[in-house]
Amino acid sequence: MVNFSLTPRQKELREIAMDYATAVAEPIAIESDQMPEVDKSFNWDLVREASKRGLRTLSIPERFGGEGADVLTLAMCGECIAYGDLGVAVGFDQTWKIMTAIANLCNEEQQNRWIPRIMEDDEFLLGIPVTEPLAGSDNLLPYDAPGSGVQMLAKKKGDKWLLNGTKRYISNGGLAKMYYVLARTDPDGPLSTSLTGFLVPSDLPGFSVPEVWDKMGQRAVQNGTLVFEDVEIRDRDRVGEVGASLPAVGALLLGFGSNIQAGATVLGVAQRAYDLSHQYAHERIQGGKPIIEHDIQRKRLVRMAMKLQATRSYLWYAGWNCKQEDFDRKHASMSKVFASEESLAVCVEALELWGATGYMKKNPIEKLLRDAISFLHSDGTNDVLSLKAATFMAQQRLEKTDKRYSNRVAEAAAGQ
Ligand SMILES: Cc1cc2nc3c(=O)[nH]c(=O)nc-3n(C[C@H](O)[C@H](O)[C@H](O)COP(=O)(O)OP(=O)(O)OC[C@H]3O[C@@H](n4cnc5c(N)ncnc54)[C@H](O)[C@@H]3O)c2cc1C
C-alpha cells in the first residue's frame, strides 16, 4: 500500500527544523555568505542552537539519547534546514550520515566510547575525508587498478597506525571534532582490498587544516584541505577489518542515506526559490497586473511546482526503499542526480521569473542558484552517480521465465 502520511513525530521534527531554518539559519547564513574571509565566516551559534533543539543529534541511536531518525526522516529535516540555508544543512547532514555509519560500522566498544561524547558536546560535528588532490571520482566508482584511488597511507606501528597524506574539499573541514578517514593500508593494492577506515579526533598532533576553500555557494559551511603528517591512531580506532572499507563507502552513499539526504537538502533550496518566486509573482506588477496573472509566468510556476513535488516523491520513495530487505540501490544515486538537476532547474526558472532583480546580490535568488549548483558535484558527481546506477541497472535483466519477457524482443535482438 502506498502511504504518504507522516508520523506525528516526523511532523513535529519538520516543524522544529523549519523554525530553526527560518528563525536561526537563514539570517546568520546570509551574513556568512557575504563575508569575504571564508575561514572566519562560520558561526558556532548555529551549531549550539541546533543542539539545543535536538537537531544536531537526530541520527544518534535512541539508546544513547539521540532521536534515532531513519534516512527518510533525516531527508525531511535536511530539506527543511536547507530551506534556510544549504551550507548549514550540509554541516548537519554530514554529521548525521557519519553518525549513522558509526552506529552501523563501529563495534560496541567504539560506540560506547565515542557516541556519548558526540551526544553531550553541543559543538561536536563530524566529517568524512575521502577525496584527495589526485583521487576524486576514482574512490566512488571505484577505479580498482593497483595503487589507484586514495593515496593517503596508514602504516602499522605496534598497536598504532601512522597516517600520512592530504584530503581536500572536505565539508566540515576545520570544524569537525572527529573525522571518519579513509586511508590505504596497502600502498600497491587495488582499492577493493586496500581501503581502511579510522576514527580520527581533530586534536591529534600532526593534523592540520592549511586551507579553507573559497567557494561559489554553501558559504555558511567550511570545506577544508586536511593534512595528516605522522598522525598516530590507536588500532582500537580502526573501523572494521584492515583493507575492507570500500564497501563501507558504498554503503554510506547508498544504504546509509548519503545520496538521498544530499538530494533532499538541495531540494530545500529549490523549495525556497519557488516560495519566493510565488510571492514575487503576486506582488510584482508589469503589463498592468501582477505577473502571476500572465499565463507564461503562471505556467512557469506550475512547472517549478511539478519538479519540486516529483523530486520530493522520488526522495521519499528512495528513503523508504533503502530500508527494505530487497533494497534497489540504484534509486539512492538516481534520486540524488534527479534532485540536484531538477532543483537547479527550479532555481534557474526562479531567476527568469524575477528578471534582472533576481540577478542582483541584494535579492535572494542569486544565492540560492549558487548554492544549488554545488550538488551537481558534491556527494559524487552526477556523471559518476549515473554510472554507478547504470552498473546496478545492467546487473538487472528479465529472465525467460518472467511474465514480462518478450520473445519478439529476443528474436529482434538476434537479427530475425
Ligand atoms: C561542496 C562540496 C562538498 C564536498 N564535500 C566532500 C566531503 O565532505 N568529503 C569528501 O571526501 N569529498 C567531498 N567533496 C568532493 C567530491 O566528492 C568530489 O569533488 C567528487 O567526488 C569528484 O571528484 P573531483 O572533484 O576530484 O572530480 P574528478 O573525479 O576529477 O572528475 C572530473 C570530471 O570527470 C568525470 N569523471 C570522473 N571519472 C569518470 C569516469 N570514470 N567516467 C566518466 N567520467 C568521469 C567527473 O564526473 C567530472 O565531470 C565535496 C565537493 C564539493 C563540491
Side-chain angles (χ1 to χ4, degrees):
M1 195 177 104
V2 177
N3 183 358
F4 285 105
S5 46
L6 308 187
T7 65
R9 185 60 182 153
Q10 282 171 329
K11 286 183 190 161
E12 206 177 346
L13 286 172
R14 285 184 84 199
E15 263 179 46
I16 294 170
M18 194 53 113
D19 184 61
Y20 170 82
T22 49
V24 183
E26 189 178 43
I28 293 180
I30 287 172
E31 276 180 32
S32 300
D33 184 63
Q34 290 160 358
M35 223 177 259
E37 304 99 331
V38 278
D39 54 340
K40 297 192 185 74
S41 65
F42 189 77
N43 188 325
W44 282 98
D45 287 345
L46 287 166
V47 185
R48 286 187 283 266
E49 188 56 35
S51 291
K52 217 187 286 174
R53 297 172 187 228
L55 291 170
R56 185 184 59 85
T57 50
L58 281 179
S59 66
I60 291 190
E62 283 168 291
R63 68 192 173 95
F64 290 104
E67 183 69 36
D70 60 9
V71 171
L72 179 56
T73 310
L74 293 170
M76 289 172 182
C77 293
E79 182 193 333
C80 292
I81 298 181
Y83 188 88
D85 182 72
L86 182 63
V88 176
V90 166
F92 294 118
D93 194 40
Q94 291 297 104
T95 302
W96 296 341
K97 70 193 186 195
I98 299 158
M99 193 52 245
T100 306
I102 291 174
N104 282 278
L105 302 174
C106 288
N107 61 35
E108 278 293 306
E109 186 276 325
Q110 290 168 327
Q111 293 192 26
N112 290 333
R113 198 155 37 85
W114 283 114
I115 300 180
R117 292 189 216 180
I118 302 169
M119 183 70 207
E120 281 153 24
D121 183 342
D122 281 355
E123 295 181 355
F124 210 119
L125 295 177
L126 296 160
I128 176 162
V130 184
T131 306
E132 299 182 355
L134 297 180
S137 305
D138 280 356
N139 306 318
L140 302 184
L141 257 179
Y143 180 49
D144 210 25
S148 67
V150 163
Q151 296 299 302
M152 173 181 275
L153 200 60
K155 209 168 165 196
K156 192 90 193 281
K157 187 181 154 202
D159 66 343
K160 296 197 172 129
W161 294 86
L162 279 186
L163 255 58
N164 279 287
T166 300
K167 301 285 183 182
R168 72 169 181 181
Y169 303 156
I170 310 308
S171 303
N172 286 342
L175 304 173
K177 291 203 173 166
M178 187 164 74
Y179 298 92
Y180 172 37
V181 177
L182 277 305
R184 72 168 39 247
T185 34
D186 173 357
D188 306 314
L191 218 53
S192 53
T193 56
S194 307
L195 202 63
T196 306
F198 298 90
L199 296 178
V200 182
S202 61
D203 56 0
L204 292 182
F207 173 79
S208 62
V209 183
E211 179 166 12
V212 173
W213 290 85
D214 196 357
K215 56 191 192 299
M216 187 177 181
Q218 288 195 31
R219 293 177 66 85
V221 71
Q222 280 187 196
N223 287 73
T225 289
L226 315 183
V227 172
F228 299 73
E229 284 172 314
D230 284 336
V231 175
E232 275 192 7
I233 308 294
R234 295 164 301 181
D235 190 50
R236 65 181 184 149
D237 281 325
R238 170 173 47 82
V239 179
E241 297 302 316
V242 175
S245 287
L246 189 64
V249 178
L252 186 85
L253 285 173
L254 308 176
F256 300 161
S258 186
N259 279 174
I260 299 163
Q261 291 167 212
T265 53
V266 71
L267 173 63
V269 178
Q271 183 66 53
R272 184 71 177 131
Y274 170 83
D275 288 347
L276 293 168
S277 302
H278 189 257
Q279 180 187 340
Y280 191 74
H282 271 293
E283 295 180 10
R284 175 71 177 168
I285 293 172
Q286 286 294 285
K289 55 187 177 185
I291 59 175
I292 199 165
E293 290 178 22
H294 294 296
D295 279 350
I296 194 164
Q297 302 311 332
R298 254 209 295 254
K299 212 171 149 219
R300 187 190 301 286
L301 284 164
V302 166
R303 211 161 47 228
M304 290 162 79
M306 287 190 295
K307 286 178 191 295
L308 292 172
Q309 201 47 46
T311 302
R312 188 169 297 110
S313 301
Y314 193 11
L315 288 166
W316 286 16
Y317 167 75
W320 169 86
N321 170 57
C322 78
K323 266 177 89 173
Q324 308 308 305
E325 247 173 56
D326 57 348
F327 166 42
D328 187 344
R329 290 176 294 172
K330 67 178 181 291
H331 290 299
S333 327
M334 281 162 53
S335 61
K336 183 268 180 175
V337 173
F338 187 75
S340 54
E341 288 176 354
E342 295 302 292
S343 297
L344 182 60
V346 167
C347 291
V348 172
E349 295 268 22
L351 192 78
E352 288 195 53
L353 185 142
W354 277 67
T357 307
Y359 195 67
M360 300 302 159
K361 276 195 169 284
K362 195 173 178 181
N363 299 316
I365 300 299
E366 70 86 33
K367 170 183 178 291
L368 296 174
L369 189 59
R370 282 189 283 113
D371 282 345
I373 209 163
S374 64
F375 267 98
L376 296 182
H377 310 110
S378 190
D379 221 48
T381 69
N382 280 358
D383 290 341
V384 160
L385 295 183
S386 300
L387 286 169
K388 250 180 137 56
T391 307
F392 295 132
M393 205 177 264
Q395 286 161 358
Q396 297 168 329
R397 61 181 300 166
L398 284 182
E399 299 301 333
K400 283 189 176 159
T401 49
D402 194 296
K403 280 196 281 296
R404 294 166 296 171
Y405 189 84
S406 160
N407 288 326
R408 181 58 213 137
V409 170
E411 287 160 7
Q416 295 159 19

